[in-house]
Amino acid sequence: KKGSYDHFMQKEIHEQPHSLTTTMRGRLKDSGVLLGGLKEHIKTIRRSRRVVFIGCGTSYNAALAARPFMEELTGIPVTMEVASDLLDRQGPIYREDTAVFVSQSGETADTLLALDYALENGALCVGITNTVGSTLSRRTHCGVHINAGCEIGVASTKAYTSQIVAMAMLALAVGSDQISTQARREAIISGLSSLPSNASEVLKLDADMKELASSLIDSESLLVFGRGYNYATALEGALKVKEVALMHSEGMLAGEMKHGPLALVDENLPIIVIATRDACFSKQQSVIQQLLSRKGRLIVMCSEGDASAVCPSGSCRVIEVPDVADCLQPVINIIPLQLLAYHLTVLRGFDVDQPRNLAKSLIQH
Ligand code: UD1
Ligand code: BG6
Ligand code: NA
């Protein structure tokens, strides 16, 4: 089933142009999006006082990537909950809330317990899952199957990008009654339809990421700084490195850099800074300058053609990625980091598809 690939994770990373296509198939129209599973519930979602995104691990990170455009397109406040933490706190959930549960497998115990809790509290419960017939799909009031195809590698890759795309379609559908954002919605729809080809383009960085991995093989730690649309990319890139390459890695909000993390910076610790084009670009340029002035060892991810804009001194290693609609950039930016984590794992001699101590919920339906 791995075909010409050595590992499922590698196959699933390279499958993304196709899995993104199947996630959107039959759902994208010039005039808007059509999500069969939500038709009857869109008006209720629009009327909700709050949207609460709930998930674990990579699925939580996908929801975090979706938060900015969900807020922008719907005007509804969005709060984030790690499933176990919501349960630990018994945090408030109300009838006026829409609780969106994100889970590749649809079987993660903490997520399902949080679902029971939200159902008891009367929220409208929406599922975003890859698994038709899963407990999450059955117990939620409605939802969207992401249709990314079966994911075998324990480290989620193609499901992450498809989850973000499914939530982009959800945000477009909920926000479709807002005249003031119509042009923005059209631009995002056109951005969505280009994503599969952008993903093919960025996968050409495979050899570069293998080379970058070989330069990081003996590092003890890797930091990843992101902000805005790409805060989630920083967390998810670091999670991939941690869970498969078994290297300590932290994703950090770049806006918090000077409130602690800056103390860690020296000439040895590798730091990835995500600085693709969006409204936060100039803030990221100044983060890079501050890190360089402390002799930081920087790897900067930027938009194609921006190498000298992000690193005028030429002293950073640069990863150039295709520029897409700003809010969809996390779908493309994670791919080089998935490749990096994959190659780092293979070069360090660890098991790619079955990382130590981790398991995937794999229930056949
Ligand atoms: C559905 C069909 C698809 C068909 C299409 C044609 C299924 C599973 N999907 O897709 O094969 O090509 O119509 O129009 O038969 N749901 C939840 N919770 C979740 C996910 C989904 O309750 O977490 C519900 C939805 O609200 C919906 C149903 O499951 O009632 C199917 O969802 P989805 O597959 O996303 O719907 P369509 O895209 O319309
Ligand atoms: C964890 C896995 O157990 O579950 C993570 O180690 C995964 O990789 C998380 O992201 C959530 O899984 P799911 O199926 O709910 O998306
Ligand atoms: Na359901």
Side-chain angles (χ1 to χ4, degrees):
K1 281 213 229 114
K2 281 182 284 198
S4 57
Y5 295 103
D6 297 328
H7 302 99
F8 284 110
M9 181 185 181
Q10 182 190 29
K11 171 175 179 276
E12 289 159 2
I13 292 171
H14 286 273
E15 242 166 45
Q16 289 176 102
H18 178 69
S19 50
L20 291 168
T21 303
T22 55
T23 299
M24 293 184 276
R25 181 164 295 149
R27 292 168 163 175
L28 274 196
K29 316 278 168 203
D30 289 335
S31 51
V33 301
L34 190 87
L35 293 169
L38 295 182
K39 275 202 306 272
E40 327 270 278
H41 301 269
I42 286 292
K43 288 205 175 106
T44 315
I45 301 174
R46 257 178 217 152
R47 280 196 303 265
S48 51
R49 299 245 316 256
R50 173 175 77 148
V51 169
V52 187
F53 277 138
I54 303 167
C56 304
T58 291
S59 292
Y60 173 89
N61 291 341
L64 189 66
R67 181 192 203 178
F69 57 67
M70 189 74 191
E71 288 177 336
E72 180 192 342
L73 294 176
T74 69
I76 305 171
V78 178
T79 60
M80 298 297 308
E81 293 285 359
V82 171
S84 62
D85 187 50
L86 175 66
L87 294 163
D88 289 347
R89 294 180 357 259
Q90 298 283 295
I93 296 285
Y94 300 110
R95 297 185 61 80
E96 299 78 13
D97 287 335
T98 293
V100 179
F101 293 84
V102 188
S103 172
Q104 189 286 132
S105 62
E107 302 295 348
T108 298
D110 289 328
T111 307
L112 294 177
L113 288 169
L115 170 60
D116 289 342
Y117 176 75
L119 287 168
E120 279 163 26
N121 286 282
L124 175 71
C125 294
V126 180
I128 305 287
T129 183
N130 199 25
T131 317
V132 176
S134 60
T135 310
L136 183 74
S137 176
R138 285 183 286 109
R139 288 202 199 143
T140 43
H141 296 117
C142 59
V144 184
H145 290 119
I146 67 171
N147 300 336
C150 186
E151 190 182 65
I152 311 258
V154 168
S156 179
T157 53
K158 65 174 180 172
Y160 177 75
T161 49
S162 282
Q163 285 165 338
I164 299 173
V165 164
M167 286 183 272
M169 295 189 292
L170 168 67
L172 288 163
V174 177
S176 66
D177 62 332
Q178 309 213 351
I179 313 243
S180 63
T181 53
Q182 184 165 347
R184 173 70 167 155
R185 285 198 306 278
E186 283 166 8
I188 296 170
I189 290 171
S190 134
L192 283 171
S193 57
S194 315
L195 277 182
S197 64
N198 300 139
S200 300
E201 182 74 27
V202 80
L203 283 165
K204 293 180 187 156
L205 292 171
D206 192 33
D208 285 356
M209 292 304 105
K210 186 173 179 181
E211 200 206 306
L212 176 61
S214 67
S215 74
L216 298 176
I217 187 169
D218 293 321
S219 295
E220 274 174 18
S221 182
L222 173 67
L223 301 188
V224 191
F225 280 119
R227 73 194 313 147
Y229 294 123
N230 286 288
Y231 173 39
T233 309
L235 294 191
E236 176 58 10
L239 180 59
K240 287 282 101 44
V241 169
K242 193 157 30 188
E243 69 180 341
V244 282
L246 313 188
M247 181 186 287
H248 172 255
S249 185
E250 293 302 326
M252 292 175 173
L253 202 48
E256 279 285 283
M257 180 188 67
K258 58 180 176 293
H259 307 297
L262 199 54
L264 292 171
V265 179
D266 63 16
E267 58 276 19
N268 299 315
L269 173 67
I271 304 176
I272 299 179
V273 182
I274 301 160
T276 42
R277 287 279 172 172
D278 61 27
C280 296
F281 181 67
S282 64
K283 290 186 185 173
Q284 285 303 72
Q285 285 179 302
S286 88
V287 162
I288 292 165
Q289 285 317 311
Q290 292 176 60
L291 291 169
L292 284 177
S293 71
R294 282 155 185 91
K295 303 198 165 36
R297 179 175 164 198
L298 298 197
I299 301 142
V300 179
M301 182 182 294
C302 67
S303 303
E304 261 158 18
D306 264 352
S308 57
V310 293
C311 192
S313 65
S315 58
C316 319
R317 181 163 185 138
V318 172
I319 306 169
E320 290 187 49
V321 299
D323 201 20
V324 302
D326 54 7
C327 66
L328 302 175
Q329 197 70 49
V331 175
I332 294 307
N333 290 1
I334 195 60
I335 294 176
L337 303 181
Q338 294 170 342
L339 291 168
L340 176 67
Y342 170 74
H343 288 297
L344 206 46
T345 309
V346 174
L347 292 169
R348 282 161 66 91
F350 297 122
D351 188 337
V352 175
D353 288 328
Q354 292 289 328
R356 183 174 76 188
N357 307 338
L358 298 180
K360 196 180 188 81
S361 297
L362 271 180
I363 296 175
Q364 300 300 324
H365 294 276

